[in-house]
Amino acid sequence: MACTAFTLISAMAFAQYNSYAKNNFNRDGFMFEFGLGGGIISIEDSAGSQSFDDAQGGGTFPELKLGYMLNNRFAITVSAPGMIYTVNDNDRHFGGIIPSVQYWVKDRWWIHGGAGLAIDSPALYDIKDNVNDDWNTGIAVMVSTGYEVYRKNKFALNVQSKVLLGGVKLESNIDREAVQFSLGIGFSWF
């Protein structure tokens, strides 16, 4: 929570409007964002095999966002966030496909959020026959914020933080819930 508060306060402090600076950066049409970073993920199964007390560090590569700018400040997007975690000596990926909206509160500071499909799947590099090959789905909610630190032509580089909450149903009527927090950088094209 302290990291989230610090990120939001920092973003607001740097996102203040400068009335003397001319804003000639235009966001229009389709947008694409590719992100990478790291963070923590906490998993809990109703069967007790994982506990929220045991948070793990993980990478968030790649994170994708596709969308369309309705105007210079508002976009409708579909995001694919996620993070790798380990359970029973197997690497898995907890992420989702999230329809969402993104709004630029200030010229460079944006907020982003939505709800959609949670996906718990094997990490693509760790699939083994009949061991780690199950795919599970459920519901996820995501919120994020970011600040564009560099812009040129139709490209923007941003620093962002993201929270994803989700739950899926496993075999044998077991529920798996996940909370993940990540910090990263995003490369956006408009």
Side-chain angles (χ1 to χ4, degrees), residues 12-33:
M12 288 189 310
F14 287 107
Q16 300 303 311
Y17 179 70
N18 182 354
S19 61
Y20 300 108
K22 182 179 178 185
N23 178 12
N24 59 3
F25 189 75
N26 191 25
R27 299 176 200 92
D28 61 349
F30 288 97
M31 69 174 285
F32 172 75
E33 182 174 295

Side-chain angles (χ1 to χ4, degrees), residues 170-184:
L170 306 178
E171 295 176 358
S172 305
N173 209 23
I174 298 172
D175 294 320
R176 175 170 290 163
E177 297 172 346
V179 176
Q180 56 183 271
F181 173 76
S182 63
L183 295 172

Side-chain angles (χ1 to χ4, degrees), residues 33-82:
E33 182 174 295
F34 169 78
L36 57 103
I40 57 172
I41 183 169
S42 187
I43 302 285
E44 180 158 313
D45 288 353
S46 60
S49 61
Q50 292 284 97
S51 170
F52 279 132
D53 296 333
D54 301 324
Q56 304 176 28
T60 62
F61 174 79
E63 289 196 343
L64 301 174
K65 185 189 307 176
L66 300 170
Y68 186 78
M69 298 297 302
L70 296 177
N71 59 43
N72 198 39
R73 289 190 174 268
F74 188 74
I76 295 175
T77 64
V78 174
S79 298

Side-chain angles (χ1 to χ4, degrees), residues 41-159:
I41 183 169
S42 187
I43 302 285
E44 180 158 313
D45 288 353
S46 60
S49 61
Q50 292 284 97
S51 170
F52 279 132
D53 296 333
D54 301 324
Q56 304 176 28
T60 62
F61 174 79
E63 289 196 343
L64 301 174
K65 185 189 307 176
L66 300 170
Y68 186 78
M69 298 297 302
L70 296 177
N71 59 43
N72 198 39
R73 289 190 174 268
F74 188 74
I76 295 175
T77 64
V78 174
S79 298
M83 190 176 295
I84 302 292
Y85 70 97
T86 302
V87 61
N88 300 328
D89 296 326
N90 291 307
D91 287 346
R92 296 192 56 84
H93 179 269
F94 194 98
I97 299 174
I98 313 287
S100 49
V101 294
Q102 185 166 336
Y103 180 72
W104 278 259
V105 177
K106 298 286 186 178
D107 180 43
R108 293 179 181 251
W109 174 44
W110 53 261
I111 55 175
H112 181 230
L117 179 69
I119 301 171
D120 178 53
S121 64
L124 295 178
Y125 59 84
D126 197 24
I127 297 176
K128 300 173 186 140
D129 289 336
N130 298 322
V131 175
N132 189 32
D133 59 354
D134 58 321
W135 289 66
N136 310 298
T137 59
I139 297 173
V141 176
M142 175 205 65
V143 293
S144 64
T145 186
Y147 184 78
E148 295 172 346
V149 293
Y150 176 78
R151 300 187 304 194
K152 185 168 185 176
N153 298 331
K154 293 291 201 174
F155 172 77
L157 175 69
N158 64 67
V159 177

